Amino acid sequence: VQLQASGGGLVQAGGSLRLSCAASGRTFSRYVMGWFRQAPGKEREFVAAISRRNTTYYADSVKGRFAISRDNAKNTVYLQMNSLKPEDTANYYCAAAEIVTRENGGYGYWGQGTLVTVSS
């Protein structure tokens, strides 16, 4: 599966953004979809994931502020980000996995990053 992320940009602290990740192929619904982020000088970290049955998982740092969702008819996964903070600044990546995991290595397919910059 090929993934294409979009929706990043510059936003002030407290603002919102919605990231989208469009997938190619007919098997999108079989994958667990995840979002990760990588800030300059830091390792890539788990942000959120959604299972085939729409069970959602979040990093503690974004719980209550971010929401992941998927539209299997559109082969797209979304990340709604509210109450953004400067520390949310990072490149955000979408990824696909066979099973639910918070580990980078569990995801076999990755999109390119989309940059989110939150100004204070």
Side-chain angles (χ1 to χ4, degrees):
V1 61
Q2 293 184 321
L3 305 172
Q4 180 78 31
S6 62
L10 174 64
V11 63
Q12 288 188 330
S16 298
L17 278 176
R18 188 175 81 155
L19 305 183
S20 299
C21 176
S24 64
R26 301 179 181 178
T27 58
F28 173 78
S29 62
R30 64 172 284 191
Y31 290 103
V32 173
M33 299 301 298
W35 286 96
F36 289 76
R37 67 186 181 187
Q38 187 168 20
K42 295 188 176 181
E43 294 186 352
R44 189 174 298 186
E45 64 175 3
F46 171 79
V47 175
I50 185 166
S51 73
R52 299 178 191 84
R53 297 187 178 185
N54 291 326
T55 302
T56 56
Y57 307 83
Y58 296 97
D60 288 344
S61 58
V62 307
K63 199 172 295 183
R65 300 188 297 121
F66 290 12
I68 188 171
S69 61
R70 67 191 298 162
D71 185 336
N72 289 338
K74 295 183 178 180
N75 282 7
T76 302
V77 61
Y78 303 98
L79 185 68
Q80 178 66 43
M81 306 186 294
N82 300 323
S83 303
L84 282 161
K85 304 175 181 180
E87 51 263 44
D88 294 318
T89 295
N91 269 305
Y92 283 72
Y93 300 86
C94 59
E98 299 284 346
I99 61 172
V100 174
T101 178
R102 296 170 183 251
E103 301 297 323
N104 286 325
Y107 289 79
Y109 304 94
W110 291 84
Q112 89 295 353
T114 185
L115 180 62
V116 172
T117 303
V118 184
S119 63
S120 57

